[in-house]
């Protein structure tokens, strides 16, 4: 009977032959998931897998090789210091988006009891990151996807974070009494172009199309809508594709001052932020 270390080694070789990135880490993550343990517990095991567990692990390996995102198979994704539940049909938050969340938190420094809205919240990652770092904030999260909103509400409840989850497009579901009072609006919108989508890896195209494809249309609409909701000096921050900085920044010229493009850790354009002229 093979020990876990040998199972991981052979599984990693199998994944590598099928072109899966980070094969050893993937093999470990899937094995920990089917066994129900952490990494220390995995390698502390002296026995192998029973037939039922072995079959479940084999199915998971095959699904990963077919392009199913690892996070859909493990059911979780780390985002800053939050462990989020993820499910098929809802966009998986990326490490690059952590920079967007931190930039939104940064602009709230010194603002007492701020009001923040995460537009297109998905799993609720950005909204919950803000709430976890700023417990005094009122945080709202909007999305048009019922599946995403159900998941965001579940994540918030499990993490003990009070986030108001609202159904609707852009800022439409935000209570009207908050018009002109928002301190920050933040969004990771669908920004992949239709042409780019066709060349994306299968595992990315396994995620919901509507959460991926949109070009810069969403940015333009949100920049226009945000002007009526932000307080004087309030901030709008959006994630962008690496080649979209100049175009999206131009949308911010219609009412925002100090608009700037921020890079991600790899040096690529990733966030545009601007402050409403007051």
């Amino acid at each position: 009977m093979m020990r876990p270390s040998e199972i991981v080694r052979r599984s990693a070789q199998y994944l590598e032959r099928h072109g899966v990135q980070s094969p050893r880490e993937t093999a470990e993550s899937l094995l920990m998931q089917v066994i129900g343990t952490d990494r220390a517990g995995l390698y502390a095991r002296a026995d192998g897998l029973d037939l039922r567990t072995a079959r479940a692990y084999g199915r998971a390996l095959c699904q990963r090789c077919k392009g199913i995102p690892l996070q859909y198979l493990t059911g979780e994704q780390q985002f800053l210091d939050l462990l989020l539940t993820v499910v098929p049909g809802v966009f998986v938050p990326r490490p690059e988006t952590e920079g967007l969340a931190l930039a939104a938190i940064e602009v709230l420094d010194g603002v007492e009891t701020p009001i923040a809205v995460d537009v297109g919240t998905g799993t609720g990652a950005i909204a919950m990151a803000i709430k976890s770092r700023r417990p005094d904030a009122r945080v709202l999260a909007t999305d048009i996807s019922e599946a995403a909103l159900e998941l965001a509400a579940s994540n918030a409840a499990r993490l003990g974070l009070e986030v108001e989850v609202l159904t609707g497009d852009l800022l439409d579901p935000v209570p009207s009494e908050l018009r002109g009072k928002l301190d920050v609006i933040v969004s990771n919108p669908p920004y992949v172009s239709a042409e780019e989508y066709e060349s994306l890896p299968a595992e990315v195209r396994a995620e919901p199309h509507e959460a991926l494809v949109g070009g810069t249309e969403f940015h333009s609409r949100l920049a226009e809508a945000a002007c009526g909701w932000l307080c004087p000096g309030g901030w709008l921050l959006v994630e962008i594709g690496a080649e979209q900085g100049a175009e999206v920044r131009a949308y911010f010229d219609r009412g925002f001052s100090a608009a700037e493009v921020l890079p991600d850790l790899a040096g690529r354009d990733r966030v545009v932020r601007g402050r409403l002229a007051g």
Side-chain angles (χ1 to χ4, degrees):
M1 185 173 290
M2 285 190 291
R3 294 176 64 87
S5 58
E6 180 63 13
I7 296 173
V8 168
R9 186 184 69 82
R10 294 192 180 192
S11 300
Q13 291 175 342
Y14 173 78
L15 292 169
E16 187 172 20
R17 288 196 300 270
H18 286 79
V20 174
Q21 294 184 349
S22 305
R24 183 175 182 85
E25 292 80 358
T26 298
E28 285 182 342
S29 295
L30 293 175
L31 190 53
M32 288 187 291
Q33 176 66 22
V34 297
I35 293 176
T37 188
D38 57 17
R39 194 170 187 274
L42 174 65
Y43 287 106
R45 289 173 62 98
D47 55 342
L49 306 181
D50 59 42
L51 182 59
R52 181 177 180 180
T53 305
R55 285 176 173 171
Y57 184 53
R59 286 194 298 270
L61 290 171
C62 289
Q63 287 177 300
R64 185 69 191 93
C65 289
K66 292 177 181 178
I68 303 299
L70 174 63
Q71 295 87 346
Y72 286 168
L73 297 174
T74 63
E76 61 186 31
Q77 171 74 333
Q78 191 74 32
F79 189 83
L80 295 173
D81 52 355
L82 304 172
L83 185 61
L84 301 172
T85 297
V86 296
V87 298
V90 179
F91 183 74
V92 178
R94 303 298 202 267
E96 306 91 271
T97 304
E98 293 179 347
L100 173 65
L102 291 173
I105 294 165
E106 178 188 10
V107 301
L108 292 177
D109 187 36
V111 180
E112 295 184 7
T113 59
I115 304 174
V117 178
D118 174 16
V119 177
T121 194
T123 60
I126 297 172
M128 278 171 269
I130 294 172
K131 186 65 177 179
S132 68
R133 303 290 179 96
R134 289 296 305 266
D136 62 321
R138 180 180 179 182
V139 181
L140 303 91
T142 75
D143 208 300
I144 60 172
S145 166
E146 292 290 347
L149 291 167
E150 182 178 342
L151 179 59
S154 174
N155 273 322
R158 180 176 54 81
L159 294 169
L161 297 171
E162 186 178 349
V163 173
E164 300 171 47
V165 178
L166 307 170
T167 306
D169 185 42
L170 298 184
L171 298 160
D172 290 349
V174 176
S176 59
E177 64 267 22
L178 295 182
R179 185 175 291 274
K181 298 180 180 179
L182 304 183
D183 295 288
V184 67
I185 298 169
V186 59
S187 180
N188 176 20
Y191 56 74
V192 174
S193 70
E195 296 75 19
E196 290 171 326
Y197 179 79
E198 297 303 322
S199 62
L200 291 176
E203 65 185 87
V204 179
R205 286 185 280 112
E207 298 184 62
H209 183 275
E210 63 273 16
L212 291 167
V213 179
T216 63
E217 177 191 2
F218 188 103
H219 303 81
S220 176
R221 293 174 57 223
L222 184 58
E224 182 177 356
C227 291
W229 286 93
L230 289 168
C231 65
W235 290 85
L236 172 63
L237 299 92
V238 294
E239 186 167 318
I240 60 170
E243 305 299 324
Q244 296 173 340
E247 181 179 359
V248 174
R249 182 176 177 177
Y251 298 148
F252 280 53
D253 289 339
R254 307 168 186 169
F256 294 88
S257 62
E260 59 182 334
V261 181
L262 306 177
D264 59 21
L265 293 176
R268 296 168 297 198
D269 289 352
R270 186 59 60 193
V271 172
V272 176
R273 72 178 178 186
R275 196 170 196 179
L276 187 68

